[in-house]
């Protein structure tokens, strides 16, 4: 990289601290901004919508005040309450918002995996303080390495390439498993296509010995991975401390990677629910959120008692008060205005980038620290990122519409390698696309939200109770964490203990039942369908639609019996013809949802295959941040630091 065209992994914008990152307990940081997630507005006619409403009502639990209370109660219970967290705890990164979310995650881990046995020995905080100092040293080292990494290429090119390989391998394995007269296991074919030392041998329920051997190999793989990472990041004196080294490896390898990542994140229901939450967040209306924040609780009370009209009623009134011609005119004007804004944004950005100095050398992804044996990752143009091919493979565009896949491939080739090479690396178009990604997609404010989402997903019921809540107040569990018994009794609630934390022993011990998993899958499919325009869905899934009325407003939901329903509002809604068309639209929605469940979400059906994907992503990220792992063995890394590999 050159100074003229620097593409760091993190931007030193206003979101970052003003002072440098040092190993002290004080920081010159400004107060962290709020990272509270806005609540979602959902329909009250659906059981899943009711779940969303009750769950989103507890979003205030994860506000800055509740998070600060959690951090103080666990990490510094004996400290002066008048001091801020920046004065009590060592800085983890150069961002206050990231530190806030990281310390909340560390507080839960310490409470669950350290205090569970350490509090029985002593009540002092010396050991926890030393542990925080070690973690702070590792996180600051990772941040320095992250700044030398092309995060955009990692997130939009390398990780999508792994997902694309997983999709193609799983589809091929599932197809080949049924070809011969003696069916072969899908896991066997998938593992042959994507071999992994930590996932061998293939676990077979008919042979319990294979399951035990695979679990042992996976545990050894996780520990080696963590030993190699700590051998690079830990200070020498801490690495030579066998007690501290063993404790950190146990927490990271067995409790975090083993229990949470391998035991929960790889589950199909967890991945489906995560996708559904991401889709719901993307569908939020910022204007509605700002309005709700400005008006506060009165609007919620008015809407609770039915004194405010819903969005569907507003749509009904607007459609009834407008003729079809006026609606068509306003639609044309709206599309024209949006097109003008997009073209102006592109033209302004291209002129701005073209006026900047041209980089003298080609951009590459650097390695940290610089090494003679390290091989830098060559730069790929933005238009050649594997994200586009991953989406094409996920939607099976080459099989469904080969003409569209060929046309898009031809257009990509002409832009990248055609006359003028307009989209080649470091060209004006490539730099404009890259800057747009950095400014609007991978922003510095994205990481705190990802950490918050990770904390709420991995520990959904292990959160501080809302301010002013009684000790016996219950917190609504996510649908995926409800047990069959708790689902039947008051929707699956976990009681709050006297310390203000939800009791997770019974909820986390048993996963969701089969009907609940089916409901999660259906919920995810419905949310995905809401993102796809209806004409695109018809052509993508090959559904013929004979109706001439396309101007009606439609809403899809799931009733209490897990049946797909839809509501239509518009000029022709009602009447016998409209009723028949309404029934046809419901059948069409059912076809779409079934296609999404069986063709898109089916890629995450098998937990064992999902482990291949998750571990490959973890390996890729670690090798980019700690390239020493790809150059030398774990034993060599430890011996270079003066630690005998046989003693670990």
């Amino acid at each position: 990289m050159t100074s003229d065209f620097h593409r760091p992994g993190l931007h030193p914008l206003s979101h970052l601290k003003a002072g440098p990152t040092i190993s002290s307990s004080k920081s010159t940081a400004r107060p962290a901004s709020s990272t509270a997630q806005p609540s979602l507005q959902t329909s009250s006619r659906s059981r899943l919508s009711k779940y969303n409403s009750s769950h989103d009502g507890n979003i205030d639990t994860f506000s800055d005040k509740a998070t600060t209370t959690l951090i103080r109660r666990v990490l510094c219970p004996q400290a002066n309450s008048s001091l801020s967290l920046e004065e009590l705890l060592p800085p983890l990164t150069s961002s206050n918002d990231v530190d806030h979310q990281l310390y909340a995650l560390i507080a839960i881990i310490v409470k669950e995996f350290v205090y569970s046995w350490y509090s029985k020995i002593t009540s002092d905080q010396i050991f926890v303080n030393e542990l925080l100092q070690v973690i702070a040293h590792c996180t600051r080292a990772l941040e320095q390495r992250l700044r030398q990494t092309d995060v955009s290429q990692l997130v939009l090119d390398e990780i999508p390439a792994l997902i694309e390989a997983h999709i193609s391998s799983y589809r091929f394995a599932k197809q080949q498993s049924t070809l011969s007269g003696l069916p072969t296991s899908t896991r066997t074919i998938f593992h042959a296509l994507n071999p992994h030392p930590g996932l061998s041998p293939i676990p077979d329920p008919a042979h319990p010995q294979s399951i035990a051997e695979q679990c042992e190999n996976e545990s050894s793989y996780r520990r080696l991975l963590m030993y190699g990472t700590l051998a690079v990041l830990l200070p020498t004196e801490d690495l030579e401390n066998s007690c501290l080294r063993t404790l950190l490896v146990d927490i990271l390898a067995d409790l975090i990677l083993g229990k949470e990542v391998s035991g929960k994140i790889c589950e199909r229901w967890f991945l489906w629910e995560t996708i559904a939450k991401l889709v719901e967040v993307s569908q939020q209306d910022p204007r509605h959120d700002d309005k709700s924040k400005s008006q506060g609780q009165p609007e919620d009370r008015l809407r609770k008692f039915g004194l405010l009209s819903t969005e569907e009623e507003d749509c009904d009134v607007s459609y009834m008060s407008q003729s079809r011609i006026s609606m068509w005119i306003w639609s044309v004007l709206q599309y024209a205005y949006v097109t003008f804004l997009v073209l102006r944004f592109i033209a302004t950005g291209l002129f701005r980038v073209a006026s900047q100095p041209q980089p003298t050398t080609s951009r590459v992804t650097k390695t940290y620290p610089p090494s003679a044996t390290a091989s830098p990752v060559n730069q790929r143009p933005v238009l050649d990122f594997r994200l586009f091919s991953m989406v094409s493979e996920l939607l099976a565009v080459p099989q469904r519409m080969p003409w569209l896949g060929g046309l898009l491939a031809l257009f990509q080739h002409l832009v990248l390698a055609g006359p003028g090479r307009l989209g080649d690396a470091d060209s004006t178009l490539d730099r404009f696309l890259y800057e747009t990604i950095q400014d609007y997609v991978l922003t510095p404010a994205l990481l705190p939200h990802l950490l918050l989402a990770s904390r709420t997903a991995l520990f959904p019921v292990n959160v501080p109770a809302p301010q002013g809540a009684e000790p016996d107040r219950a917190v609504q569990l996510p649908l995926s964490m409800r047990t069959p018994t708790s689902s039947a009794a008051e929707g699956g609630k976990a009681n709050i203990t006297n310390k203000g934390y939800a009791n997770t022993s019974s909820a986390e011990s048993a996963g969701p039942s089969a009907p609940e998993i089916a409901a999660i899958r259906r919920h995810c499919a419905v949310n995905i369908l809401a993102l796809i325009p209806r004409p695109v869905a018809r052509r993508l899934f090959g559904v013929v639609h004979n109706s001439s009325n396309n101007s009606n407003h439609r809403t899809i939901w799931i009733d209490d019996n897990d049946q797909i329903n839809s509501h239509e509002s518009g000029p022709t809604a009602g009447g016998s013809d409209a009723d028949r068309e309404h029934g046809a639209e419901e059948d069409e929605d059912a076809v779409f949802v079934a296609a999404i469940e069986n063709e898109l979400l089916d890629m995450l059906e098998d937990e064992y295959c999902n482990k291949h994907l998750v571990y490959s992503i973890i390996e890729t990220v670690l090798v980019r941040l700690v390239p020493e792992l790809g150059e030398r063995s774990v034993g060599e890394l430890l011996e270079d630091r003066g630690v005998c590999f046989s003693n670990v």
Side-chain angles (χ1 to χ4, degrees), residues 31-300:
S33 61
S34 175
T35 57
Q37 296 289 335
S39 61
L40 301 175
Q41 179 182 3
T42 55
S43 175
S44 61
R45 294 176 295 180
S46 164
R47 175 172 57 85
L48 293 177
S49 299
K50 291 179 181 179
Y51 148 69
N52 289 332
S53 300
S54 60
H55 178 62
D56 295 328
N58 293 323
I59 290 297
D60 291 338
T61 304
F62 309 109
S63 63
D64 275 353
K65 184 178 294 185
T67 303
T68 303
T69 303
L70 169 66
I71 298 173
R72 287 182 177 274
R73 184 177 299 171
V74 176
L75 299 183
C76 44
Q78 304 173 357
N80 187 359
S81 59
S82 61
L83 299 177
S84 62
L85 291 178
E86 289 78 10
E87 297 174 329
L88 297 174
L89 299 173
L92 300 177
T93 63
S94 59
S95 172
N96 277 331
D97 294 339
V98 174
D99 282 5
H100 200 63
Q101 299 301 329
L102 277 178
Y103 270 124
L105 186 60
I106 294 173
I108 296 178
I109 295 174
V110 169
K111 185 182 76 70
E112 288 291 323
F113 307 135
V114 177
Y115 279 155
S116 59
W117 57 268
Y118 184 73
S119 60
K120 300 177 183 179
I121 303 175
T122 180
S123 60
D124 62 72
Q125 290 288 116
I126 299 178
F127 177 75
V128 175
N129 294 336
E130 292 293 332
L131 186 63
L132 292 179
Q133 291 290 343
V134 173
I135 295 176
H137 178 87
C138 295
T139 54
R140 289 194 294 266
L142 284 175
E143 183 188 15
Q144 294 299 324
R145 293 169 177 268
L146 187 62
R147 292 182 180 277
Q148 301 294 325
T149 304
D150 193 344
V151 180
S152 298
Q153 185 167 337
L154 175 64
V155 175
L156 302 179
D157 180 60
E158 299 180 35
I159 293 180
L162 300 175
I163 300 176
E164 180 185 358
H166 172 83
I167 295 172
S168 59
S169 299
Y170 186 83
R171 285 177 175 170
F172 180 79
K174 192 173 183 179
Q175 180 184 7
Q176 295 294 321
S177 62
T178 58
L179 288 181
S180 61
L182 297 176
T184 307
S185 173
T186 303
R187 291 184 173 183
T188 303
I189 301 177
F190 185 90
H191 184 70
L193 296 173
N194 301 274
H196 194 284
L199 300 176
S200 298
I202 302 173
D204 187 1
H207 301 83
Q209 183 179 0
S210 64
I211 299 178
E213 185 177 354
Q214 189 273 323
C215 292
E216 183 179 357
N217 291 337
E218 184 180 351
S219 177
S220 300
Y221 160 77
R222 293 194 303 263
R223 297 182 70 87
L224 284 176
L225 195 63
M226 290 299 99
Y227 269 121
T229 304
L230 295 178
V232 178
L233 299 179
L234 278 182
T236 303
E237 58 273 13
D238 294 326
L239 186 63
E240 293 176 350
N241 188 338
S242 60
C243 295
L244 181 60
R245 184 180 65 242
T246 303
L247 176 64
L248 288 177
V249 171
D250 288 341
I251 293 177
L252 295 176
D254 296 335
L255 301 178
I256 303 301
L257 287 182
K259 182 180 179 180
E260 299 299 331
V261 176
S262 178
K264 182 183 294 185
I265 292 181
C266 296
E267 292 284 351
R268 52 180 180 171
W269 52 264
F270 184 89
L271 296 174
W272 290 337
E273 188 174 42
T274 301
I275 295 174
K277 290 180 179 179
L278 293 176
V279 173
E280 288 174 356
V281 171
S282 65
Q283 289 179 315
Q284 292 181 12
D285 188 0
R287 294 174 300 178
H288 172 73
D289 297 334
D290 296 340
K291 183 178 179 181
S292 300
K293 290 180 180 180
S294 61
Q295 295 182 359
Q297 188 68 20
E299 179 182 356
D300 296 336

Side-chain angles (χ1 to χ4, degrees), residues 45 126 307 355 371 489 594 610:
R45 294 176 295 180
I126 299 178
L307 299 179
S355 61
S371 175
N610 294 339

Side-chain angles (χ1 to χ4, degrees), residues 526-563:
V526 170
N527 287 352
I528 293 176
L529 179 59
L531 290 179
I532 306 176
R534 194 49 49 94
V536 175
R538 293 191 183 105
R539 287 163 178 78
L540 182 63
F541 299 109
V543 177
V544 180
H545 183 67
N546 298 322
S547 175
S548 60
N549 179 23
N550 296 322
S551 60
N552 293 346
H553 177 74
R554 300 186 53 76
T555 305
I556 308 171
W557 76 93
I558 303 177
D559 59 15
D560 295 334
N561 298 323
D562 290 338
Q563 299 295 326

